[in-house]
Amino acid sequence: MKCFEFDQLAAYMDGVLSQEEKKHVEKHLEFCPSCREVVTALQNEDAFLQETIQSPLLPAGFDDEVLSKLEPYQTKRKRWNWPYQLLTAASIILAFGIGASFFSDTQKSDTGNSDTPVVQEEKEALYSVKDAGVLLEVTDISVSPLKIEIFYRLKPEEWVLKNFLKKHNVEHLSQIKVEYETLPPNGKIVDLNGQELPQREVSLGSNGWLQNSIVIKPSEVEELPLPDTFRAQIEFDDFFMQEGEWSIDVPIDVTKAKTLTKSNSHNIDFMFDDFYAGPLKWQLSTNAHQLQFYAEYTENKKDQLEEIIKARENEDLTSMIMPELSILNSAGEELLVDGLNISSHMGESFTFDYDFANRVKGMGVLENLPRSEALTLKLKGFRIEEPENTQFELTDNNNELEKNGWSIKSVTVEQDTANSKLVTIIGETNIRDIESFVAEIGDKEWVTNEVVNKMVTSEGTFIIQTIMPNSVTNYQLDITSVTKWFEYEWEIMLW
C-alpha cells in the first residue's frame, strides 16, 4: 500500500479531512511506521509553534527570514479530491526543516549559503521474504555472544489487513489484543557447515507497531563453542491468520563483540540460619549481560522441609529461595531485565540465570550503554517461600489456641445476611522474618475451602475475615505456606 504524501498527512493533522478520508489515513497509520514518524513530527512541531506564538517577543527579522524561504504552493491533482489546498503555517515551516524529526540531514547548495532539507526515507531492508500477501523485512541486527536479536517489520497487502480485521470484527489493529505472528517463533543458529549450535532460548521481542524482533540466546559449551561467524535461521508459518512460509537466513559475525565481552565471579557466600547464597558469576557484553546466582538451604532446614512435606503426604509441595537484585548504571538507573531462568535441584538448591539488556528505560531498542559505563550490582535481600503444616480446629468465640509458633487470639462472629455471617480470626506468629502466609479456611464438609493470602505485621499479628453460612459452627484453618523476607543490602562493582 502506498504511503501518503506530506500535505495529505498535514491535512489530517489539521482536521480538515472528511470522516471517510480521516478513517482511511488512520487505518494506514496503524501499520506504516514511516507515516507515523511524519505525524509524530507534525505533532511535535505544532507544540513548538504554539509555544513560539505565545512568546511575547520574537527575534528581529523573524518574519522576513521565514517569508524569504516560502515559495507559492502549487496545488496538485490527487487520487482523492482533497478539500485542503494550502498548507498551514505549521506545515510550511516544518517543510523547510525547522525542528522536523523526519528531516535527518541537510545538504549544502552549490553556493554553500543555504540548506536544502532531505526527507529521511524508510530504512532499506537488509533481507526480505514475501508470501501469502505479507512482506517480512529484516531491518536491523544486534549481536553479541550473549544475545542475537534480529529486528523485522511486516507489510501486509491491503486485502490481508482487511480480512484480518474482518475476522476479528474490528476496524483498526489497535482494537485487537492478539499477536500478528505465530508464537513461539522458530529460530536456530548454525555454523557455516550447517551444524546446529547450542542455544538457551528463542523468543519474540515486543517493540510494537508491526516492527518486532526475534531473540536467540546462544549457550556456550566446551564441546561446541560459539564460532566468530555463523548463521541465524528464522521461520514463521503464520502472519495475520494467513498460512505461508517466511524463512530468512541471516549471517552473524560476533568477532568484535567477543573482544568486548568480559567474564568475572565473586566467591563470597551470604550466610543465614536457614540458607546460604553465592557465588556470583557474570558476563558483560555489548547488548546484553548475564548474571548467575546460586542458593541452597542448610542441612537442618532441608530436614525440616522434608518432614513437612512427608507429614502432608504431598511431594508436589515446593520451596524457593529468591534473591531480589538489580544492576544500576552510573546514574543509578536500573538495567532492563531481559529474562530469568530458575533451576531447582530437588527443591533444596537453586540456580538463577538473569538476563539484562544493556540499556535502561527510555532508551531505544537499538541503543546500548557504552562499554565505559560503570555498572553496579545491588542486592536488596532474599524472599523465601516454604511449605507449612499447621491446622487449627475453630468454633465461634474460640480464643487462645497455640501450635508450631502460631496462636489464635480470638474468633468473633457478626451477622452478614439472613443466611450468612462474617467470621473474624485474629492471631499472631513468632516465626522470624515472616512477611505473609497462605491458608485454607472452611468447613470439613465443604467441597472447596476458601484460600486466603494474608500479610503479617512487623509485630507478627494478622487478621482473617471470611463469610460462612449460619449453619456452620466448626471451622478448620490450615496454614499451607509462608513467605519470609530477609533484608540484606550489598553492592559490588561489575564493570
Side-chain angles (χ1 to χ4, degrees), residues 28 55 152 257:
H28 177 84
S55 176
Y152 63 89

Side-chain angles (χ1 to χ4, degrees), residues 211-238:
Q211 180 172 353
N212 222 312
S213 65
I214 184 171
V215 177
I216 302 177
K217 296 177 181 178
S219 177
E220 281 275 7
V221 295
E222 293 183 5
E223 299 80 12
L224 198 60
L226 188 70
D228 291 344
T229 57
F230 52 95
R231 308 189 74 82
Q233 297 175 346
I234 59 175
E235 180 179 337
F236 293 92
D237 55 20
D238 181 282

Side-chain angles (χ1 to χ4, degrees), residues 8 11-12 14-19 21-22 25 80 82-84:
Q8 295 171 323
Y12 164 74
D14 288 337
V16 298
L17 302 182
S18 67
Q19 283 299 112
E21 292 167 339
K22 179 181 177 182
V25 174
W80 297 348
W82 292 88
Y84 187 79

Side-chain angles (χ1 to χ4, degrees), residues 308-326:
I308 292 174
I309 294 173
K310 188 179 296 184
R312 282 193 171 275
E313 298 180 350
N314 187 347
E315 296 182 355
D316 293 332
L317 290 175
T318 59
S319 52
M320 175 66 69
I321 306 171
M322 175 65 74
E324 187 170 317
L325 52 81
S326 58

Side-chain angles (χ1 to χ4, degrees), residues 266-283:
H266 195 77
N267 293 322
I268 190 171
D269 288 332
F270 305 94
M271 305 297 297
F272 299 90
D273 292 339
D274 292 342
F275 70 97
Y276 62 90
L280 288 168
K281 298 179 181 180
W282 61 86
Q283 284 186 291

Side-chain angles (χ1 to χ4, degrees), residues 132-134 159-160 163 167 237-244 246:
V134 180
W159 67 268
V160 173
N163 289 342
K167 289 177 181 178
D237 55 20
D238 181 282
F239 281 131
F240 296 95
M241 301 179 71
Q242 293 289 126
E243 293 186 3
W246 296 266

Side-chain angles (χ1 to χ4, degrees), residues 124-324:
E124 185 177 353
L126 303 175
Y127 309 94
S128 64
V129 59
K130 185 175 182 180
D131 193 17
V134 180
L135 176 65
L136 182 155
E137 296 182 330
V138 172
T139 58
D140 294 282
I141 304 171
S142 175
V143 301
S144 77
L146 306 184
K147 182 171 74 171
I148 311 299
E149 187 163 15
I150 299 171
F151 295 87
Y152 63 89
R153 61 178 173 238
L154 301 176
K155 292 184 176 180
E157 292 184 7
E158 188 169 2
W159 67 268
V160 173
L161 187 61
K162 183 177 180 180
N163 289 342
F164 185 69
L165 296 175
K166 184 177 180 180
K167 289 177 181 178
H168 289 87
N169 195 30
V170 297
E171 295 184 355
H172 305 290
L173 285 177
S174 58
Q175 299 172 272
I176 302 176
K177 299 185 181 299
V178 297
E179 302 291 345
Y180 312 126
E181 55 274 281
T182 302
L183 291 174
N186 297 315
K188 62 182 179 180
I189 50 178
V190 300
D191 64 19
L192 300 184
N193 296 319
Q195 181 178 3
E196 189 168 348
L197 300 170
Q199 57 196 39
R200 297 183 294 118
E201 177 185 325
V202 180
S203 61
L204 194 64
S206 181
N207 305 312
W209 288 114
L210 297 191
Q211 180 172 353
N212 222 312
S213 65
I214 184 171
V215 177
I216 302 177
K217 296 177 181 178
S219 177
E220 281 275 7
V221 295
E222 293 183 5
E223 299 80 12
L224 198 60
L226 188 70
D228 291 344
T229 57
F230 52 95
R231 308 189 74 82
Q233 297 175 346
I234 59 175
E235 180 179 337
F236 293 92
D237 55 20
D238 181 282
F239 281 131
F240 296 95
M241 301 179 71
Q242 293 289 126
E243 293 186 3
E245 184 175 334
W246 296 266
S247 300
I248 292 185
D249 193 284
V250 181
I252 305 295
D253 189 336
V254 294
T255 305
K256 182 178 179 180
K258 274 188 173 182
T259 64
L260 299 173
T261 301
K262 305 297 180 184
S263 301
N264 210 335
S265 62
H266 195 77
N267 293 322
I268 190 171
D269 288 332
F270 305 94
M271 305 297 297
F272 299 90
D273 292 339
D274 292 342
F275 70 97
Y276 62 90
L280 288 168
K281 298 179 181 180
W282 61 86
Q283 284 186 291
L284 309 179
S285 195
T286 52
N287 67 350
H289 307 309
Q290 290 179 11
L291 179 71
Q292 188 178 86
F293 205 107
Y294 179 81
E296 184 173 1
Y297 285 110
T298 62
E299 292 302 320
N300 289 339
K301 190 63 178 180
K302 290 177 185 177
D303 293 339
Q304 180 186 346
L305 294 173
E306 185 178 353
E307 290 179 4
I308 292 174
I309 294 173
K310 188 179 296 184
R312 282 193 171 275
E313 298 180 350
N314 187 347
E315 296 182 355
D316 293 332
L317 290 175
T318 59
S319 52
M320 175 66 69
I321 306 171
M322 175 65 74
E324 187 170 317

